[in-house]
Amino acid sequence: MDILQKIARYREEEEKLKWEGTFAEYLEILKEKPWVAQSAHSRVYHMIKDAGVEVVNGRKRYKFFSHHLFGLEEALERLVEEYFHPAAKRLDVRKRILLLMGPVGGGKSTLVTLLKRGLEEYSKTDRGAVYAIKGCPMHEDPLHLIPHHLRDDFYREYGIRIEGELSPLNMMRLEKEYGGRIEDVMVERIFFSENRRVGIGTFSPSDPKSQDIADLTGSIDFSTIAEYGSESDPRAYRFDGELNKANRGIMEFQEMLKCDEKFLWHLLSLTQEGNFKAGRFALISADELIVAHTNETEYRSFIANKKNEALHSRIIVMPIPYNLRVSEEERIYEKMIRESDVANVHIAPHTLRIAAMFTILTRLKESKRPDVDLLKKMRLYDGEMIEGFNEVDVEELKKEHPDEGMSGIDPRYVINRISACIIRKEVPSINALDVLRSLKEGLDQHPSISKEDRERYLNFISLVRKEYDEIAKQEVQKAFVYSYEESAKTLMDNYLDNVEAYCNKTKLRDPLTGEEMNPDEKLMRSIEEQIGISENAKKAFREEILIRISAYARKGQRFDYNSHERLREAIQKKLFADLKDIVKITTSTKTPDEQQLKKINEVVARLIDEYGYNSTSANELLRYVGSLLNR
């Protein structure tokens, strides 16, 4: 199907969704589908919930956000459960402005954009259908037509509560156009659209001298006064302010705390009473979710001003910190690159991970625990299993600094540096060293980094460089060892047999001759020394391994190569130590002989076929590891 056919199909589907009928017919829809009368807050909550919820590591993950916001599960769970859910139940939090507070580039604007785009799509579904009085510029709820003295009866019959007053314009239309016959008032289905200004409004502050309050509440159309005779005639008023147009949906206040005070006064009654003042009319009812965003500095300045106290109590602040998990930060960069024009550039494996490690280190705060440095903390936050630590330790670390993640390097800076690196290199391939170099150069140009922070960040780049050196060595090591996993498994099984014999004070039997042999102390020590196990500590380490094997056996599980992190590390280092000379000679020889050239080509092929490199990045990796081994 070509694009024009798809456009035609889309137009037909849009037409099918349209509905128009009398208020009496609308009540029939309500009997069958009472959810169409839900409040704006309830609609947002159900939109998020209907997209699906899954529990990962004890945390709720909302699928509505999961493809766009990464590493913010805790903040999003708090937002949904502490604001949207109670607001949907008509509890008092719905009478509060939702203020998202966090550092630049942390995802606040993305979150609001997701809610707005999501509502546009949700209003086209059966569960998210919205109906309004036809011809109303504020898309007013048709239930406002029901008189106050009948609303209790309506609740008993339909189970739906009605809040809000009929607007001055619709009150006049009811009398003049319909002769007071509520049941004949025309109702239509509406579809939220920010572009068409239906149910979604956005207000951005500008110069207070030039910005008019009419931008929020609408204004008098002076050209119609001669026709209608009075400024207080609702037909002479343009209900085209952002608060008018956002009725029934969502209103975004960009950089709310930069607004002039007179703009914020209107929010006082809108949040608490659900109405606002416009022109020479009675208060106008509005049902909308007001969401604003700001940074921490502006918020602190705002609450320090006593003149803003009335608004303080009408705001619910939701901190949106930076992501603190390396794997999620990596996903952020992948998404940004995928959406750019450099998506065709080959980015060598581990490049984005190394950049993410640097970024996360800048956001973390030193732990009070002497056994936890920033690198260990970074790994624990990312879900890595580290000997001697569990989930309780991770939660305690998070409680040490409640404001952790509210400062540090933002993702935009990293992507800017990756982009600069791609443009400068002029080759369709970049690696981790290119990006680290670019990050380092960019620190001098970053306007908001202090001298102290710069020194700290340079230290993080050195730390991450060492991490990459280890990763690079391991990568080449795995490529050099033919059937790496098999070699590692064989070596480990051999080690475990000897450990078992040593701890149980028994002998081993030679598989070829059948002779009895003592445990091979030389083999065991050659592996244990790789991770610094001393002669005095060897017995305790071997017994610990045996206990772990027994624990696995009791649970009916098999102890394998990945069951003990330190042992796995020791096996890897031992294999690499045995191969080091071969790797060193093969990668550093300028004029390799035929045998060496064959080995290099095999390794390059394996790096390309199995590890995701291309020929450029694979050869760069080999040269780099060769230089490391020759130091």
Side-chain angles (χ1 to χ4, degrees), residues 107-149:
K108 304 184 298 294
S109 301
T110 304
L111 199 160
V112 178
T113 302
L114 278 176
L115 293 175
K116 294 196 292 188
R117 296 295 85 81
L119 270 179
E120 289 180 345
E121 292 306 312
Y122 194 59
S123 67
K124 295 173 186 173
T125 67
D126 191 50
R127 290 283 299 171
V130 191
Y131 294 82
I133 295 172
K134 189 181 179 187
C136 173
M138 283 183 61
H139 344 290
E140 188 167 5
D141 186 345
L143 293 184
H144 287 180
L145 290 161
I146 293 180
H148 268 276
H149 66 279

Side-chain angles (χ1 to χ4, degrees), residues 346 425 427-429 608 613-621 623:
H346 173 77
K425 201 172 178 192
V427 226
S429 173
I608 293 169
Y613 291 82
N614 69 358
S615 62
T616 307
S617 59
N619 280 295
E620 284 174 344
L621 179 73
R623 281 197 297 274

Side-chain angles (χ1 to χ4, degrees), residues 475-492:
E475 203 87 321
V476 171
Q477 165 196 336
K478 285 190 279 186
F480 261 89
V481 179
Y482 183 73
S483 204
Y484 172 74
E485 295 293 335
E486 292 304 313
S487 306
K489 182 179 175 296
T490 303
L491 182 57
M492 193 187 79

Side-chain angles (χ1 to χ4, degrees), residues 369-372 376-377 379-380 384-397 541 544 548 563-567:
R369 290 177 56 163
D371 59 338
V372 179
K376 193 175 281 184
K377 191 178 191 182
R379 290 196 172 95
L380 286 167
E384 282 187 42
M385 298 297 292
I386 295 179
E387 206 73 26
F389 291 89
N390 56 32
E391 278 295 318
V392 176
D393 294 304
V394 177
E395 289 305 314
E396 283 176 3
L397 286 172
F541 181 73
E544 180 198 325
R548 182 73 68 92
S563 300
H564 193 287
E565 188 182 336
R566 293 190 73 208
L567 178 57

Side-chain angles (χ1 to χ4, degrees), residues 590-604:
K590 289 182 181 175
T591 54
D593 60 31
E594 192 179 330
Q595 193 63 31
Q596 289 168 339
L597 196 60
K598 184 184 175 190
K599 190 69 182 170
I600 288 174
N601 289 337
E602 280 179 9
V603 172
V604 169

